[in-house]
Amino acid sequence: MQAAIDRWWSGTFTRPPLIGMEVDKGDTCKEMVLNGLGYGVLSASLVENVEDLHRIVVTDKEGEPLVRKTWMFYHQSSLEINVIDAFVRFVETVDFKRDL
């Protein structure tokens, strides 16, 4: 993902990014940006309901939005635990391209 973001940056801007700090949590990054402390590359789902925030969609060279592929692994026997079963069933219903 980092390589894809780096390619997007170099294809979009003429200057390298000015990075003074990196954080490992999206919510922390969002709060820093909202408080005027720079910019962030975040998942659209973290900022979709935030007003007055300038957004640029990160796209690949074909113009398609950059999407991170993720997986969920679990043991079949884990589904015997109600909360795990409910979570897995919830995730199965989400259309990650449309809903998030």
Side-chain angles (χ1 to χ4, degrees), residues 9-90:
W9 186 281
S10 64
T12 304
F13 302 106
T14 58
R15 295 184 188 170
L18 177 60
I19 301 172
M21 180 185 303
E22 291 186 38
V23 295
D24 63 349
K25 302 284 186 216
D27 284 328
T28 302
C29 182
K30 177 178 80 171
E31 290 303 317
M32 291 177 74
V33 170
L34 290 173
N35 284 285
L37 299 173
Y39 65 91
V41 178
L42 297 165
S43 169
S45 63
L46 282 174
V47 295
E48 67 183 351
N49 296 320
V50 179
E51 298 294 325
D52 301 324
L53 187 65
H54 179 72
R55 296 181 191 112
I56 299 172
V57 177
V58 178
T59 58
D60 61 20
K61 60 185 174 184
E62 287 81 32
E64 293 296 317
L66 196 59
V67 176
R68 179 187 293 206
K69 295 179 182 178
T70 59
W71 300 268
M72 180 172 58
F73 294 96
Y74 58 90
H75 293 282
Q76 190 67 30
S77 61
S78 297
L79 297 178
E80 295 173 16
I81 301 170
N82 288 340
V83 69
I84 294 174
D85 182 61
F87 178 73
V88 169
R89 296 203 186 292
F90 166 75

